[in-house]
Amino acid sequence: PQPPEPIAYHDPTGPFGQLFELLPGEITDDSEVAVLGLGAGVMSCYAEPGQRWTYYEIDPAVEAIARNENLFTYLRDCPGEYDVELGDARLRLAESQNGRYGMIVGEAFSSDAIPVHLVTREATDLYFDKLQENGVLVHHISNRHLDLEPVVGDLARDRGLVCYTQYDIEGADGTIPYKLTSHFTVLARDEADLGGVSNDPRWAPCRTNTDTDRVWTDDYSNLLSTYQELGWLFGNE
């Protein structure tokens, strides 16, 4: 269809699509959006006509694939305006103007996991420097092996932020074509900045690690701790 419809992790019925219904329109429709990681550019079709989105992408080959119209046409056919900044997302984002974005989306993956330096205390501080006062931070944390929700929840607790999450499997069994199971978090300075998220039963406060008050930083992370929570995701003891 024209314009193309988001699929897979970003299906309109999933957590990411829901945010564009639940968050205030001044954030989702009127403000600039930054995305850490380009992929095929699927998220682009959530943009409004004339709205500017900036993708921060480390791999030039990914941009070439996303712009190859024999493969994908999201960047061509979706209604917004799109820039791609090549380089490490955190380093390039640091060069942007403070308070520029209404939403920042952490979408960078390497070997099915978010690069650790994008989910640390220092990275979180950077994101909120670049967000407007009422801006929101979205992390895509879908993962087959690691439960990253408590990592994000700990960061929110440490920085005095509000954090909500959703783990969505509805329709991922093939009843909704191309949809995949997904797990997202959304963070803000104040609950009011999240619009209808906190009152939506599909969203819940982020879990935190109860056995430690240590958060991930540029000098400390603990990947093994994320394996211990996998039973919660898959219903195992």
Side-chain angles (χ1 to χ4, degrees):
Q2 290 296 322
E5 295 178 356
I7 60 170
Y9 300 107
H10 305 97
D11 188 275
T13 66
F16 193 71
Q18 294 167 24
L19 289 177
F20 285 82
E21 300 176 355
L22 297 171
L23 292 172
E26 60 191 279
I27 295 301
T28 58
D29 301 341
D30 302 332
S31 300
E32 289 192 53
V33 173
V35 184
L36 315 183
L38 171 60
V42 172
M43 288 178 290
S44 302
C45 285
Y46 285 106
E48 292 296 317
Q51 186 183 22
R52 182 167 296 280
W53 285 39
T54 301
Y55 287 96
Y56 292 89
E57 172 56 53
I58 196 170
D59 190 345
V62 171
E63 181 183 11
I65 291 169
R67 293 192 183 279
N68 183 338
E69 296 176 5
N70 293 316
L71 299 175
F72 302 105
T73 62
Y74 295 104
L75 295 180
R76 184 192 71 186
D77 294 337
C78 295
E81 299 177 7
Y82 309 102
D83 298 318
V84 178
E85 298 284 348
L86 291 175
D88 179 88
R90 183 170 156 186
L91 295 178
R92 294 305 308 273
L93 182 66
E95 300 170 357
S96 66
Q97 180 181 353
N98 284 353
R100 175 179 175 183
Y101 297 108
M103 178 189 293
I104 295 175
V105 184
E107 184 71 21
F109 283 83
S110 177
S111 299
D112 201 36
I114 301 172
V116 168
H117 75 293
L118 298 181
V119 283
T120 65
R121 172 189 286 158
E122 293 84 354
T124 302
D125 287 344
L126 171 67
Y127 302 146
F128 278 88
D129 283 344
K130 303 305 175 182
L131 284 169
Q132 302 169 8
E133 282 301 311
N134 59 347
V136 301
L137 170 65
V138 178
H139 276 303
H140 182 189
I141 56 171
S142 303
N143 199 279
R144 292 187 179 93
H145 308 294
L146 308 178
D147 178 18
L148 295 171
E149 181 187 325
V151 174
V152 178
D154 287 350
L155 290 168
R157 179 183 61 188
D158 177 68
R159 308 322 269 167
L161 303 168
V162 181
C163 181
Y164 280 82
T165 186
Q166 183 179 161
Y167 179 72
D168 177 48
I169 63 173
E170 186 174 351
D173 58 356
T175 54
I176 298 178
Y178 307 114
K179 184 178 179 180
L180 298 176
T181 298
S182 64
H183 197 180
F184 281 82
T185 62
V186 57
L187 295 79
R189 296 181 178 93
D190 191 274
E191 191 147 340
D193 299 332
L194 294 177
V197 171
S198 59
N199 294 320
D200 191 302
R202 296 171 295 184
W203 292 83
C206 296
R207 290 176 294 119
T208 59
N209 287 304
T210 58
D211 57 344
T212 178
D213 59 359
R214 296 196 70 179
V215 300
W216 286 17
T217 71
D218 287 351
D219 298 315
Y220 168 82
S221 62
N222 183 354
L223 284 176
L224 288 179
S225 70
T226 67
Y227 283 96
Q228 297 171 5
E229 300 291 336
L230 282 177
W232 176 85
L233 290 178
F234 297 105
N236 302 321
E237 295 294 333

